[in-house]
Each structure stands twice: as structure tokens, then as C-alpha cells.
Amino acid sequence: MAIIKKLLGKTPILGEDCFLSETCVIIGDVNIGNKCSVWFNAVIRGDVNKITIGNKVNIQDNVTIHCTYQKFSTTIGNNVSIGHNAIIHGCTIQDNVLIGMGAIIMDNTIIENNAIIAAGAVVTQGKYVRNGELWAGIPAKKIGEVSQKLKEREIEQIANNYIKYSRWYNKKEFDENIN
């Protein structure tokens, strides 16, 4: 069972039709929208500031989402995929964004709609990723634009796939034919 912990008078608020893995941890001032999934060992820690997560967001295995005390809350829009082992800290991520596996997004960063942050990228403090940009590297920098094909194949398809995967795990009955 997921750990959902009230802290300092703040209890996490969860939307409808969400999947929470048995080993995820959600603490404090956290608001999660509808059709979201929080996967194995992910931690969403709203202990020192507020974390707001929109609808249809998948937070994959081992992701850490945190914020900065009295400075930077974390806001994540709708239709966002956050890849395995990513760190999201005190930033704003708008709608239709893909954060690649192992990426780090640091304080006071803004990532606009339809952007992709490549796997392993480190977006340093205070950066501004504009609508439709593709960023990669350490430190991350703009390397191109997100094409319509890439948007459909990566941003939209991954978000939709994670809704499908969530349904597999939320299913009350299991296929008895599996060996």
C-alpha cells in the first residue's frame, strides 16, 4: 500500500482514477489531479513547500519530486511524463512535456508546453525552456525543436501508454492463464 502521509496539517489530495504503486510515498502539501500514476519507489515530498500535479501525469519508478523551503514550489501541468529516476525540484513544468529518464530539473526553472528534456539532462537553476524546445546535455541546452511527429510519438503516446499500464495494475481480477 502506498504511503500517504499528513505532515504539518497538510494531507495529500488525490484525484480520481489514479494508480499509486505499493511502494510510492506522497507526503504533505501535495495535490494530484485525475488519471495520474505514481510508480514504484517514487517520492513526492511536499514537506517544505507545495507540489501541484495536473491531470494525466505519470511519475515513473524512482522519481523524486520536491521543492525549496519558502522559495520555490513545484508545479506540473497536464499530460506530463516524468521518466524513471528523474529529479524534479522547485520548478514549473507546463502541459504536454516529456522529462527523460534520469533528468534533473532544478529550482526556479520553467519548462513551457510541448517541450522534451532528454534522458540524463541536467537543467540548471533558473533556466527557461520555451514552448516546443528539445533540451539535452549536462548542463542542458537547447538542441532543437520538438516536431509534430516527435510530439505525437513521444509526448502523447507515452502519456497514453501509462494510463493503459495503470489499468493493468488497478485491475481487480488477474488473468489465470498466465504461467
Side-chain angles (χ1 to χ4, degrees), residues 61-65 82-88 99-104:
D61 310 70
N62 301 310
V63 167
T64 299
I65 300 176
I82 302 173
H84 313 288
N85 298 305
I87 299 172
I88 308 300
I99 306 295
M101 295 180 283
I104 299 172

Side-chain angles (χ1 to χ4, degrees), residues 115-132:
I116 294 178
I117 306 300
V122 177
V123 182
T124 55
Q125 184 168 342
K127 294 294 186 226
Y128 195 96
V129 178
R130 299 197 188 293
N131 188 356

Side-chain angles (χ1 to χ4, degrees), residues 34 58 66 122 160-161 165 174-175:
N34 301 322
N58 61 86
H66 197 227
V122 177
N160 288 332
N161 283 350
Y165 306 155
F174 298 96
D175 186 351

Side-chain angles (χ1 to χ4, degrees), residues 127-145:
K127 294 294 186 226
Y128 195 96
V129 178
R130 299 197 188 293
N131 188 356
E133 291 184 343
L134 172 60
W135 282 47
I138 302 173
K141 61 183 175 187
K142 180 183 174 184
I143 62 166
E145 299 289 331

